[in-house]
Amino acid sequence: MSDWLRTIAFRVIFYAISVPIVLGVPLAALGGQRVVIVYADCWARVHRWAMRAILGIRSRVEGEIPGGQVLYVAKHQAMYETVELQLILGSPAMVLKRELMRIPLWGWATTLYGSIVVDRDASTKALRQLMRDGAAAKASGRSVIVYPEGTRVPPGEKPPLRSGFAGLYKALDLPVVPIATNSGLLLPKKGAKHPGIVTFRIGAVIPPGLPREEAERRVWEAINALDA
C-alpha cells in the first residue's frame, strides 16, 4: 500500500472512530476528572493502534523517564507526540494554546482533563494565569508537559523558546525533563505520512532554580538533540 493510501485510510478510520468517542465525553464527565483522564487514555490508545496498524508508525523511547512530579518540556513536530506522550508519561497536565479550546466539545473535554491554557500573545495577564493554572496542576499531584516552541515546527528548525516555559519553570519549581523527537520526518504537516519509528529521546534532568538564561539554554539544546 502506498503512503498516500495509508494516509487516507488512517484519516477516514481514525476520525470515524474518534467522533463517537468525543460525543461520549459528557457521560465520562459524570465520573469526574479521574474518569475523564482514563477515557482520554482510551482514545489515545485508539490513536496508537491506528498509527501502528494503518500507517506503520511506532515509538521508541531512548533514555530513562524519571519518577516523581516533573515539568516535561518537549519538541513539537507533529500531532503524534501530543497524544503518544500522554500515554508514555502517564497523563501529565498538558499546556495547550487557547485556539484549540474553541473546538466544540473537544475544547470542553480538554478542560475537564485538566489541560492548562496559554495565550500566544504572552501578555502579562496571560502569563500570570498560566502560572496560576500550572501551580494548581502541581498541587493536584500531576506532572505538567509543555511544548515551549508554541507550535509545531518542521524538522531542522530550532526556534527560541516562548516565554511561557520560563514562567512555568519559575512557578512550578520542579525538575525539568526535556524530550527531543523526530516525528516530523514521518509525519509532515502536509503530504503523505511514512511508516517507520518515531524516537523520543529523554534528556538529562534539569534542576529547578537555575537562572532563566541557563535553564532555557539547556532545554533548547536537549529538545533539539535529534536535529543535530
Side-chain angles (χ1 to χ4, degrees):
M1 186 184 295
S2 72
D3 288 354
W4 265 116
L5 286 177
R6 288 193 195 92
T7 301
I8 294 170
F10 171 82
R11 289 172 178 170
V12 171
I13 295 172
F14 175 67
Y15 289 108
I17 296 173
S18 294
V19 169
I21 291 176
V22 173
L23 292 176
V25 167
L27 290 176
L30 296 175
Q33 189 180 71
R34 288 181 180 274
V35 173
V36 171
I37 291 174
V38 171
Y39 193 78
D41 284 350
C42 290
W43 175 77
R45 293 185 187 282
V46 171
H47 179 265
R48 175 182 281 178
W49 165 82
M51 280 283 170
R52 292 179 176 182
I54 303 171
L55 291 179
I57 294 175
R58 295 176 177 270
S59 297
R60 173 176 59 212
V61 178
E62 296 180 354
E64 302 242 349
I65 301 173
Q69 199 174 17
V70 300
L71 172 60
Y72 295 107
V73 185
K75 184 76 178 179
H76 187 21
Q77 293 185 345
M79 173 187 165
Y80 182 82
E81 55 267 13
T82 65
V83 181
E84 184 70 5
L85 284 177
Q86 292 303 112
L87 290 175
I88 293 173
L89 303 176
S91 306
M94 187 191 307
V95 178
L96 295 174
K97 56 188 178 183
R98 186 168 295 281
E99 295 93 312
L100 295 176
M101 308 303 287
R102 300 191 183 109
I103 301 174
L105 195 57
W106 192 88
W108 177 63
T110 58
T111 301
L112 295 174
Y113 183 83
S115 297
I116 300 167
V117 182
V118 61
D119 282 309
R120 283 186 172 183
D121 61 11
S123 66
T124 301
K125 180 180 177 181
L127 289 174
R128 282 201 300 263
Q129 185 61 49
L130 172 65
M131 289 187 282
R132 282 195 295 268
D133 292 343
K138 178 183 177 181
S140 73
R142 297 175 74 182
S143 291
V144 175
I145 183 168
V146 62
Y147 296 89
E149 294 158 319
T151 188
R152 72 175 77 180
V153 297
E157 290 194 8
K158 306 175 184 179
L161 308 187
R162 299 217 173 201
S163 56
F165 162 71
L168 280 174
Y169 178 70
K170 181 178 180 180
L172 296 182
D173 194 34
L174 289 172
V176 173
V177 179
I179 304 174
T181 187
N182 59 358
S183 60
L185 297 176
L186 303 181
L187 295 145
K189 186 173 183 179
K190 297 180 180 180
K193 317 308 178 188
H194 315 295
I197 297 176
V198 171
T199 298
F200 293 108
R201 181 174 294 173
I202 312 299
V205 176
I206 299 169
L210 296 177
R212 174 176 176 172
E213 294 77 10
E214 183 178 354
E216 288 185 335
R217 176 186 60 79
R218 291 195 191 188
V219 166
W220 185 87
E221 290 176 353
I223 68 172
N224 288 300
L226 292 175
D227 277 323

